[in-house]
Every structure is written in structure tokens, then in C-alpha cells.
Amino acid sequence: MAGAKGIYGLSGSGLDVESLVRVGMISEQKKYDRIYKKEVETEWRKEAYANVYDKVNTFKSRMSDYRLSSMTKPMTTTSSLADAVTATANANAGVMSHNVEVTQAAANAYLMTTAGQKIHRTNTGAPTGSVKLKDVAYAGGTRPAGMADGDAALKFKISNGTGTTEVTFTAEEVFTKNLTLNDLAQRINNARYTDSSGKKTSLDIRASYDSVSDGFSMVNSKTGDSNKIKLSVDTSTGAAGTATRNLLSNLKLGAVSNGSIGAPLAFSTSGTIDSLEAQGTNATVKIDGRTYNNLQDNKLEVNGVTYTFKKATPVGTPATVNIAQDQDKLVDNVKKFVEEYNALLDELNKLYSNKGHKDYGVLTKSQEDGMTKDQVEKWNAKAKEGLLYHDNFLRSIVGDLRDAVINRVQSVPGRYSTLSSIGITAKDQTGHLQLDETKLKKAIAAEPDAVNRLISYDDENNDYGNSGVATRIYNKMNGRLKELERHSGVAADKTDLSELGKLIQNYEKQMSDFKKLMSSFESKLYKKYNAMEEAIARLSTQFNFFNGQ
């Protein structure tokens, strides 16, 4: 008989060595399978904890949102002149009306080809509407004698009021590659200057060419008089300087103000430097009788209200901005809070109370080999149920959730200091919450800050009793998640440094070491039965010898 470790049965002994070895290995294989099952079950448990971690972590993030006043004290605003001024309000804003006069809104530095005009071409022989830079800047659209490909054909400096950089086009780009006004716009858009820290920073000047109107425009994206558009050319640089001045002049750029375009700007001259310049304007407003001058931006926050200014209000007709609590949104947010709380609590309770199936356990490799893939998957799904039955971590998390919503918030004055006082109560013994919207709305009407204090209050000393419900839950979940990280990590990865990760690796080492012992034991069995066969062979030879006498 040919065996895994040699050839047996030639002696005629009748020994089935392979069967004897397999029987001898059964007890060892069972020992190995016990370790294997523990390793697999630990992996499953780690995966189950990872799922819990993910759900709790997501819920904790949502509790962070509910700690914000924007969730538990949302405000709504209206403006009588919404085309001139609008507003938003946070929880610090008072429920009241404000008078707002906008004398002038902040504006951008904005240049555009003057209305009724088109870009002029220095090359009078150029096709109508030619967008080539050489036609706009150079007489005849031809390269001056002696200008090499790498020489600057167009060069000017551009500043936004804070930083300055240079825009350059070589002769090759202008006369051979025939770059256009669109390329000019793109180069301005991509312009960067080096700030005081050495960092390359965008000018935030946006340029574009409109082929329909044959016009060019530039706008500084920031408002206020410190934000500018300044284009400067050195006219002492020969043909390039002259052509660049032609280019800038031929764009016919006028300053845009209050929706209208002014006449083309005239160059200012300082030595050999000719410049075109426009700057933004500051906002001037009056809110409830108090004047705010020189505002660089069209946003201003005053006492929890952020105003956005769009244009001047009619003289003598201020805008009325009304601030009120958004009760509908607040009720919706409370409903979402209850729904999200219940979703997590119900899931954890389900895992905690699931006893699983005692008849289903981890399959050995040999058992899996005798089943189809679908059968194995269904079996494992059953076997994984109940892994967290009466789990201590789950019990602690559920306990924290229930305590947070049951206990009174001690920092809240008056009668609305518990969730039950605003209509949120436990539906059953599992802690599943239910909401009485009518009671909630009555509480909000009686005490507008009730929900905000109950749910969002963040005690400066982190006192549990004084903290709002969302803050309590956030802090407790944060602690429980750290415990889970230490015990099982944050994912199914077994290479982390969690307790279960280390345990899995330990089981794997045990299996590897035991495999070596099994191989050694198997070899010993083969040697043992080989010796038996040899002995039987010798006895058979002797017997045959004496039997033949």
C-alpha cells in the first residue's frame, strides 16, 4: 500500500497503516479544531463589536450636532426689503424687530469693456472680431524686427491691492502660437503672488472674454476699498511696452458701479509706469440707529443676527428685519432626535437580548468542505447571532443612553427640566422613547429656551447633572467608544493592538505551533507502524522457515 509517508503492506501483515494513522490523528485534530473555532468565533465577535462601534460613533457625531443651538433653538428671519438686506440669526438673537438702513453696499473692484464699445484692434487689417493678441496690441499684427521667440512681447504687472505679480507673453506665444484674449483671461485667472510667508497665493481676480459682445472684464472677488485691480506697464521697455499699453487701452475698460459701466479709464503716469486702477467700495449701514462705516464686507453680525447687504435701501425707508423662533423646525429636530435615539437603542437591545442558536457553531474546515458555499453562508449567519447576548459593553451603553434621558437636567430652571416635561417619555421597559408633539409645542410656547437648555446645554465644568441630554450622551458615548477601541478596536482588522486583536493573533500562533506538533506526531505514528510491519515481516520469514523444515 502506498502511503503519505512511505509504502506499506508488502509484508502481508494486513495492517492498514493509513487508516491507523488517521484514527491516531483524530484526537489531535479535535484539539486543533477547538483552537480554530475559538479563533473564528473571536474574529466574528470582533466584527460584531466593530459594527456596534460604527453605529455608536455615528450616533455620537449626531449628538455633537444636537449640542449646537442651531438645532435646538433655530431662528427664522424675514426682511421687508429682501432685495436690499437679508439676515440669519443664531440662538443668541432676541426675538424682536430691527431697522436697517443701507446707505451703500460694499462693492468689488470691477472693470468691463464700456457699454456701446468693443475691443479695438491696433492691426486695422485684422479680420473683424479677431481675438488674437497680436492683432489687438501690434500694428499690422506683426513681430517687430529683432524680437526673438523668448523675448517678452507683452508684459504687465497686476495687483489686487495686497499682492502683485507679472503677466508675460513671449513673442513665440503671441506671433507663432497666436494666443488670444481667452488666453489673456486664463493667465490672469491663474496669476499667483508670493505672500509675506513665502506662499504662492491667488490674486482672486477673475477675467473673461465675451465673444458675443466683444468685451473683456475683470473683477476682484473680494469687496471693500482695500481690494483693487491695478494694471501697470513699463513704457520704457520698447516695442513690448508700447504694445502692452495698446492692449490695455484697447480693452476699453470702464469701472462698474451700481450696475452701470463708466467711461474707459484713463492711464495715470508715474515716471515710465502707466497704470489703470479700480478699487472696491466699503459698505455704510445703520442698524437700530447705530452707524457702521467702512465695512469691507457685506456681512455684519450684531447681537446674534448676521446681516447681508445687497444694495442701498430707499432713502427714508429702512428695512424691517424680524427675528423669531422657528418652532416648526425645532419640532422637526426634536422628532429626529427621538427617532435617532430609538434607532440606536432598539438595535443595541436587539443584539443584547438575542440568544442566538445553540445548535449552530463554528464549522471546521472539513465540515465546510462537505457543504455548498450557500449552505456555509447561511449556517454562519445563524452561528453569528447571539455573539453579544448579555454583553457587558452593550449593557453599559444602553444604561448610559437611558440614564441620560431619564434624569433631570439640574441647570435648567423652572418646570421644564426633564424630557418628560416637554413630551418625551419612555414607551416601554426597553427605554424606547415616544413624543407628544402637542405637549412639546406648549412647552416651547411657554418657555422658548426649554429645548435648548434641556438638550444642548454644555456645562463649563462638564458636570453630568447640569449638562444637557445631548451633551451627556456625547460624553458618555465618547468614553464607551474608547473602551471598545481598547477591547476590540474600531474595525474587523485583527492586526490592531486591541485585546481581541491580540487574542486572535495568539490563537493563530497556537494553531501554527499545533500544526507543527501534529506533523511531528503523525511522523511518529508512521514510524511506529513501520516498525510493526518490519517486525511482522521478520516473524513471517522465521515462521515460513520453520514451517518448511
Side-chain angles (χ1 to χ4, degrees):
M1 177 185 295
K5 300 293 182 179
I7 300 174
Y8 303 95
L10 297 179
S11 66
S13 65
L15 288 177
D16 186 346
V17 175
E18 291 295 333
S19 296
L20 290 172
V21 171
R22 279 198 297 272
V23 170
M25 291 296 295
I26 287 176
S27 61
E28 300 303 309
Q29 184 63 45
K30 286 181 177 180
K31 293 177 185 178
Y32 176 86
D33 287 343
R34 281 196 291 271
I35 302 173
Y36 171 77
K37 288 183 177 182
K38 288 180 181 180
E39 189 272 338
V40 173
E41 184 177 325
T42 306
E43 283 191 3
W44 287 355
R45 192 178 301 277
K46 195 174 192 304
E47 291 174 3
Y49 278 128
N51 184 51
V52 170
Y53 184 96
D54 183 62
K55 291 180 183 298
V56 173
N57 192 41
T58 299
F59 183 71
K60 186 198 79 168
S61 297
R62 288 295 292 149
M63 290 303 101
S64 180
D65 294 336
Y66 285 109
R67 295 170 71 188
L68 301 175
S69 295
S70 58
M71 292 291 286
T72 53
K73 194 179 177 182
M75 308 297 286
T76 182
T77 63
T78 58
S79 172
S80 62
L81 296 173
D83 60 335
V85 57
T86 58
T88 59
N90 61 35
N92 295 322
V95 177
M96 59 188 296
S97 297
H98 301 279
N99 285 331
V100 182
E101 297 178 49
V102 182
T103 303
Q104 176 179 279
N108 312 79
Y110 189 6
L111 296 175
M112 182 179 286
T113 301
T114 300
Q117 296 196 35
K118 295 183 178 182
I119 295 173
H120 179 70
R121 274 73 182 174
T122 300
N123 178 14
T124 56
T128 302
S130 172
V131 296
K132 295 177 181 178
L133 293 176
K134 66 182 181 182
D135 290 331
V136 178
Y138 279 87
T142 57
R143 183 194 304 217
M147 182 179 285
D149 279 352
D151 292 342
L154 297 170
K155 182 169 67 173
F156 61 91
K157 289 183 178 180
I158 182 169
S159 172
N160 65 359
T162 302
T164 302
T165 191
E166 195 167 68
V167 175
T168 303
F169 290 88
T170 65
E172 181 183 23
E173 289 176 321
V174 172
F175 298 105
T176 303
K177 295 183 178 180
N178 292 320
L179 296 193
T180 68
L181 291 167
N182 290 313
D183 296 305
L184 172 63
Q186 183 178 22
R187 200 151 292 187
I188 292 172
N189 293 339
N190 294 334
R192 301 285 187 275
Y193 70 95
T194 303
D195 65 17
S196 57
S197 66
K199 180 182 177 182
K200 289 290 185 179
T201 305
S202 173
L203 283 175
D204 288 324
I205 294 176
R206 311 308 299 169
S208 65
Y209 170 70
D210 179 17
S211 60
V212 176
S213 64
D214 192 24
F216 200 83
S217 64
M218 282 182 275
V219 60
N220 189 318
S221 63
K222 298 179 180 179
T223 58
D225 63 4
S226 65
N227 297 298
K228 306 176 181 180
I229 299 175
K230 185 175 182 180
L231 309 170
S232 303
V233 56
D234 187 346
T235 57
S236 68
T237 55
T242 301
T244 303
R245 193 184 191 284
N246 289 341
L247 171 67
L248 300 181
S249 176
N250 289 346
L251 294 178
K252 306 294 183 182
L253 296 172
V256 179
S257 178
N258 296 320
S260 61
I261 311 171
L265 296 177
F267 282 98
S268 62
T269 300
S270 176
T272 61
I273 306 299
D274 285 358
S275 301
L276 298 176
E277 182 176 349
Q279 68 180 51
T281 55
N282 296 335
T284 300
V285 302
K286 183 184 288 186
I287 300 174
D288 296 331
R290 183 176 181 179
T291 299
Y292 299 85
N293 292 314
N294 298 320
L295 301 176
Q296 289 280 315
D297 191 59
N298 278 319
K299 286 186 180 296
L300 177 66
E301 182 179 350
V302 180
N303 296 327
V305 181
T306 300
Y307 300 92
T308 299
F309 312 113
K310 299 179 180 180
K311 68 176 186 179
T313 54
V315 177
T317 307
T320 300
V321 176
N322 294 310
I323 312 298
Q325 190 172 37
D326 192 340
Q327 293 191 9
D328 290 338
K329 186 174 182 180
L330 176 54
V331 171
D332 286 342
N333 288 344
V334 173
K335 287 171 65 177
K336 290 177 183 176
F337 170 84
V338 171
E339 290 169 359
E340 291 171 12
Y341 176 93
N342 284 338
L344 178 64
L345 184 69
D346 292 349
E347 176 68 19
L348 296 180
N349 278 329
K350 180 181 177 182
L351 292 172
Y352 183 78
S353 61
N354 189 341
K355 294 182 179 180
H357 305 275
K358 293 182 179 180
D359 295 334
Y360 288 80
V362 177
L363 295 170
T364 65
K365 291 291 186 182
S366 61
Q367 288 173 326
E368 287 186 353
D369 291 341
M371 302 167 66
T372 66
K373 182 179 179 181
D374 184 60
Q375 288 174 326
V376 170
E377 290 177 351
K378 289 180 178 179
W379 180 283
N380 287 344
K382 288 280 189 181
K384 289 180 180 180
E385 293 183 24
L387 285 172
L388 300 183
Y389 175 65
H390 280 195
D391 179 79
N392 289 334
F393 288 102
L394 293 190
R395 182 172 61 248
S396 297
I397 295 171
V398 169
D400 290 340
L401 291 173
R402 297 186 65 176
D403 287 345
V405 300
I406 292 173
N407 292 322
R408 174 178 173 270
V409 178
Q410 298 168 11
S411 62
V412 180
R415 56 180 174 168
Y416 298 109
S417 60
T418 62
L419 289 187
S420 61
S421 66
I422 63 170
I424 302 174
T425 57
K427 183 179 180 180
D428 52 41
Q429 292 184 347
T430 67
H432 186 97
L433 299 179
Q434 59 186 355
L435 172 64
D436 183 338
E437 288 190 38
T438 301
K439 191 173 183 179
L440 173 62
K441 290 177 180 179
K442 287 182 179 179
I444 294 172
E447 178 52 68
D449 285 336
V451 174
N452 178 249
R453 296 281 301 193
L454 265 174
I455 295 179
S456 300
Y457 184 70
D458 195 355
D459 184 73
E460 62 181 8
N461 296 316
N462 203 27
D463 182 88
Y464 181 85
N466 288 332
S467 296
V469 173
T471 301
R472 289 174 175 177
I473 293 175
Y474 179 89
N475 291 335
K476 283 292 186 178
M477 294 303 101
N478 196 46
R480 297 304 179 190
L481 287 172
K482 289 180 179 178
E483 292 175 4
L484 274 177
E485 287 177 25
R486 289 191 294 270
H487 180 64
S488 58
V490 300
D493 180 17
K494 61 187 176 183
T495 62
D496 60 24
L497 299 177
S498 68
E499 293 170 357
L500 291 189
K502 292 177 180 178
L503 183 58
I504 291 169
Q505 293 182 65
N506 183 48
Y507 282 138
E508 289 180 337
K509 185 177 186 305
Q510 288 184 45
M511 287 190 293
S512 177
D513 292 344
F514 201 82
K515 275 285 189 183
K516 294 176 183 177
L517 291 175
M518 288 175 68
S519 179
S520 176
F521 182 71
E522 185 181 39
S523 296
K524 289 179 181 178
L525 287 178
Y526 276 114
K527 289 179 180 179
K528 173 183 175 180
Y529 293 123
N530 182 52
M532 288 178 63
E533 277 224 314
E534 290 176 352
I536 291 172
R538 286 194 297 271
L539 289 173
S540 178
T541 300
Q542 292 173 8
F543 176 77
N544 291 335
F545 173 77
F546 289 113
N547 192 44
Q549 296 298 316

